[in-house]
C-alpha cells in the first residue's frame, strides 16, 4: 500500500515511486489533501515484529511469495474509481434503430447531465468506498498470511524443542534401563520393574516420533508458502506493543458505512427527477437537441416509506461501526488477559522446574550413596521431565497468545510494505 493514497498499489508503480518498509520516507507517506483518511491510516500502520528476529525473517519470506490476489482486486477498484471521477462529463455514443419502414436509422447521440440530485457525486463516493474496502482487504490478507506463517513456525519450534527434550530424557532413561537390566541379571531387582521402565521408554519414543513428524509437517507447509526454505531458522522473537492501533475490523466497518451511505444517496436520487441535455445527429447531417426530465423510478404509495428507510441507513451504519468497535475491544481485552495468564503461568513453571531439578539431584546423590532404589530416581526424573514439558508448553502458549493479540489488532504486517 506504499502509494495507494494517490495512485495504484506499489507493485504497479515505478521503482522510484515504491515505498517499502522502515526505509520509507516521511514525505512519501504524507497524506494528500484529497486522499482517503482510511487508506492513509492503513499506510501508516506499523508492524509489531522486530526487525532482524526470526519472526521478521518468516514474515518477509511469506510476504515476498504472496500471490497478492487482494492486490489485484484493489487495482480493479482503483481503475473503477478513476473512471467514476469523470462521470460528470458528457456521454457520447451511437444509437441505431429500425423504423416502421424497415430502414435502419443511425444517430450519434451526446448527453450531458445538468442536475441529478447528487447521484454522480454519490457514484464517485461509492467507487472511493470500494477502493477503501479493497485496501482493508489487502491489509487483512497480509496480516492473515503472516499470522498463518508464524503459527506454523511456532508449531515447528515447539515440537523441535519437545523432541530435543524427549531425546535427552530417552538417553537418561536408557541408562536407568541398563542399570535395571544389570540388577535383574544379578537377581537384585524384579523383572516387573524392568518391564515398567521399558514401557515408559516406549511411550517416550512414540511421543518423540510424533513431535518430529509434527515439526516436519509444519515446516513443509511453511516452506510451501515461503519464497525460501526456512528449515534452518531457529528461535522466536518478541513482539513490540501495538499501542492504540485501530483494529482492522473497525476500519472495515467504517469503509462499509461509507459505501452504504453512498448507495443510499444513489437510491434516493433515483426516485427524484433529474434534468439532462441531449443532442443527436444522423447520417444525413440532421441535428436534434433539447432538455429532458427523467427519473429512474416512478412514484408509488411506498415511495415515502423508502425515503424514510434511506434516512435510517446512516444511523444503522453508525451502530454497526460502534458494534464492530465493541466486539474488537472485547476480543482484544480477552486475549490480553489470556496472554497475561500464560506469561504468569510460564514464570511459575520455571520455578517448579527448578525445584524438580533440585529434588532430582538430591535423589541421584542418595542413589549413588545407596540410600535410594533405581525406580525411586526414575519417578523423580519423570516429575522433572514433566515439569520441563509443562514449561515448554506454557512458553509457546504465551507466544501464540501474543501472536493472536497482534492479529486481532491487525499489526503483523506493516502497511507501507503491503
Amino acid at each position: 500500500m506504499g502509494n495507494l493514497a494517490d495512485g495504484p498499489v506499489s507493485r504497479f508503480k515505478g521503482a522510484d515511486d515504491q515505498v517499502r518498509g522502515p526505509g520509507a520516507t516521511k514525505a512519501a507517506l504524507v497524506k494528500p489533501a484529497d486522499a482517503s483518511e482510511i487508506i492513509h491510516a492503513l499506510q501508516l500502520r506499523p508492524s509489531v515484529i522486530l526487525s532482524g528476529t526470526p519472526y521478521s525473517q518468516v514474515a518477509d519470506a511469506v510476504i515476498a511469495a504472496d500471490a497478492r490476489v487482494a492486490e489485484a482486486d484493489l487495482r480493479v477498484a482503483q481503475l473503477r474509481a478513476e473512471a467514476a471521477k469523470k462521470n460528470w462529463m458528457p456521454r457520447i455514443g451511437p444509437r441505431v434503430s429500425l423504423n416502421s419502414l424497415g430502414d435502419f436509422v443511425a444517430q450519434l447521440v451526446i448527453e450531458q447531465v445538468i442536475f441529478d440530485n447528487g447521484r454522480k457525486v454519490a457514484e464517485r463516493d461509492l467507487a472511493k468506498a470500494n477502493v477503501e474496502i479493497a485496501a482493508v482487504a489487502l491489509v487483512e490478507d497480509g496480516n492473515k498470511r503472516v499470522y498463518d506463517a508464524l503459527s506454523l513456525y511456532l508449531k515447528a519450534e515447539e515440537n523441535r524443542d519437545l523432541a530435543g527434550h524427549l531425546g535427552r530424557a530417552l538417553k537418561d532413561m536408557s541408562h536407568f534401563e541398563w542399570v535395571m537390566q544389570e540388577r535383574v541379571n544379578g537377581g537384585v531387582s524384579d523383572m516387573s520393574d524392568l518391564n515398567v521402565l521399558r514401557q515408559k521408554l516406549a511411550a517416550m519414543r512414540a511421543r518423540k516420533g510424533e513431535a518430529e513428524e509434527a515439526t516436519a509437517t509444519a515446516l513443509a507447509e511453511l516452506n510451501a508458502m515461503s519464497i525460501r526454505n526456512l528449515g534452518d531458522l531457529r528461535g522466536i522473537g518478541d513482539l513490540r506493543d501495538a499501542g492504540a492501533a485501530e483494529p482492522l475490523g473497525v476500519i472495515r466497518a467504517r469503509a462499509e458505512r461509507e459505501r452504504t451511505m453512498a448507495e443510499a444517496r444513489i437510491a434516493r436520487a433515483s426516485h427524484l427527477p433529474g434534468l439532462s441535455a441531449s443532442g443527436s445527429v444522423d447520417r444525413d447531417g440532421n441535428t436534434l437537441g433539447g432538455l429532458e426530465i427523467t427519473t429512474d423510478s416512478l412514484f408509488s404509495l411506498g415511495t415515502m416509506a423508502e425515503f424514510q428507510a434511506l434516512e435510517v441507513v446512516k444511523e444503522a451504519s453508525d451502530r454497526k461501526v460502534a458494534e464492530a468497535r465493541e466486539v474488537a475491544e472485547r476480543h482484544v481485552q480477552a486475549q490480553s488477559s489470556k496472554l497475561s495468564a500464560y506469561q504468569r503461568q510460564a514464570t511459575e513453571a520455571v520455578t517448579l522446574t527448578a525445584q524438580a531439578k533440585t529434588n532430582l539431584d538430591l535423589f541421584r546423590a542418595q542413589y549413588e550413596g545407596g540410600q535410594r532404589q533405581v525406580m525411586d530416581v526414575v519417578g523423580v526424573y519423570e516429575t522433572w521431565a514433566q515439569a520441563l514439558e509443562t514449561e515448554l508448553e506454557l512458553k509457546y502458549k504465551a507466544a501464540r497468545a501474543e501472536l493472536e493479540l497482534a492479529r486481532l489488532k491487525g499489526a503483523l504486517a506493516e502497511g507501507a510494505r503491503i
Side-chain angles (χ1 to χ4, degrees):
M1 296 186 63
N3 287 314
L4 187 55
D6 55 353
V9 289
S10 57
R11 180 166 291 189
F12 297 93
K13 301 289 281 185
D16 295 336
D17 295 329
Q18 290 184 357
V19 180
R20 295 293 185 187
T25 62
K26 292 183 179 180
L29 294 179
V30 172
K31 177 183 174 294
D34 60 344
S36 164
E37 291 283 353
I38 289 177
I39 290 179
H40 186 63
L42 291 174
Q43 286 179 311
L44 295 179
R45 292 182 74 85
S47 172
V48 297
I49 299 176
L50 298 174
S51 178
T53 62
Y55 280 175
S56 176
Q57 297 181 53
V58 171
D60 291 343
V62 298
I63 286 293
D66 190 4
R68 302 180 73 86
V69 176
E71 184 181 275
D73 293 338
L74 175 58
R75 179 60 173 161
V76 171
Q78 283 183 296
L79 291 175
R80 288 175 176 166
E82 186 66 25
K85 288 181 180 179
K86 300 175 177 63
N87 67 351
W88 57 271
M89 299 180 69
R91 294 182 298 174
I92 187 171
R95 181 167 64 193
V96 181
S97 61
L98 182 66
N99 66 14
S100 59
L101 298 179
D103 296 330
F104 280 103
V105 178
Q107 295 177 317
L108 184 64
V109 180
I110 183 171
E111 183 182 67
Q112 173 65 59
V113 174
I114 299 175
F115 177 71
D116 63 355
N117 299 286
R119 181 183 184 121
K120 296 297 183 183
V121 175
E123 287 177 352
R124 294 195 291 271
D125 290 342
L126 176 60
K128 178 182 177 182
N130 285 333
V131 172
E132 292 174 343
I133 291 175
V136 175
L138 176 61
V139 178
E140 288 176 335
D141 184 72
N143 273 274
K144 182 179 184 304
R145 183 173 180 83
V146 173
Y147 173 78
D148 291 342
L150 291 179
S151 296
L152 289 170
Y153 178 72
L154 280 178
K155 182 178 180 181
E157 275 295 280
E158 180 179 11
N159 282 281
R160 263 197 295 236
D161 283 352
L162 179 59
H165 162 64
L166 291 173
R168 293 186 294 271
L170 276 171
K171 182 178 179 180
D172 293 337
M173 294 289 282
S174 295
H175 172 72
F176 292 140
E177 180 193 23
W178 175 81
V179 172
M180 183 61 68
Q181 180 67 61
E182 293 299 314
R183 291 175 65 86
V184 170
N185 292 339
V188 179
S189 297
D190 189 80
M191 188 66 185
S192 60
D193 290 337
L194 180 60
N195 290 337
V196 170
L197 190 52
R198 286 175 175 172
Q199 184 179 6
K200 294 179 185 294
L201 280 168
M204 198 173 292
R205 290 191 187 96
R207 293 182 58 220
K208 181 175 181 291
E210 291 175 1
E212 291 172 344
E213 291 170 356
T215 299
T217 301
L219 285 177
E221 190 174 349
L222 178 59
N223 288 329
M225 61 187 301
S226 171
I227 198 172
R228 61 183 178 85
N229 191 297
L230 299 172
D232 295 333
L233 198 60
R234 293 292 187 276
I236 61 176
D238 294 329
L239 301 177
R240 65 166 63 95
D241 186 11
E246 189 174 30
L248 290 177
V250 179
I251 298 180
R252 170 177 282 277
R254 288 170 50 201
E256 290 175 346
R257 176 184 60 185
E258 296 303 318
R259 180 175 64 182
T260 301
M261 294 297 298
E263 290 173 344
R265 292 199 301 273
I266 293 174
R268 182 180 183 278
S270 68
H271 287 286
L272 299 174
L275 179 64
S276 63
S278 63
S280 64
V281 57
D282 60 21
R283 58 187 177 183
D284 296 326
N286 300 318
T287 60
L288 179 67
L291 298 176
E292 184 179 7
I293 297 177
T294 61
T295 181
D296 293 339
S297 303
L298 298 178
F299 276 84
S300 67
L301 294 177
T303 300
M304 294 307 298
E306 291 184 13
F307 281 154
Q308 292 173 358
L310 294 175
E311 292 298 326
V312 178
V313 164
K314 183 179 186 303
E315 181 183 355
S317 299
D318 290 339
R319 291 188 180 189
K320 288 181 180 179
V321 173
E323 181 183 34
R325 184 172 286 108
E326 177 185 329
V327 170
E329 182 64 21
R330 190 175 73 243
H331 288 169
V332 167
Q333 292 300 326
Q335 193 63 31
S336 298
S337 298
K338 185 181 294 186
L339 172 60
S340 299
Y342 283 145
Q343 289 175 336
R344 176 185 55 78
Q345 293 171 18
T347 302
E348 294 174 351
V350 172
T351 302
L352 293 175
T353 302
Q355 293 175 352
K357 184 65 170 60
T358 300
N359 292 336
L360 175 61
D361 293 340
L362 177 60
F363 268 65
R364 273 180 167 167
Q366 292 175 342
Y367 164 74
E368 292 172 357
Q371 298 174 302
R372 297 285 184 180
Q373 298 295 321
V374 176
M375 294 307 293
D376 294 337
V377 181
V378 168
V380 177
Y381 186 91
E382 283 185 306
T383 301
W384 170 77
Q386 183 61 46
L388 187 55
E389 285 185 38
T390 301
E391 180 184 335
L392 286 175
E393 180 183 2
L394 289 171
K395 170 187 173 183
Y396 283 98
K397 277 187 175 181
R400 282 192 292 270
E402 187 178 30
L403 189 63
E404 174 65 15
L405 181 59
R407 184 195 69 82
L408 289 173
K409 293 183 177 181
L412 286 174
E414 186 177 354
R417 299 192 61 189
I418 299 178

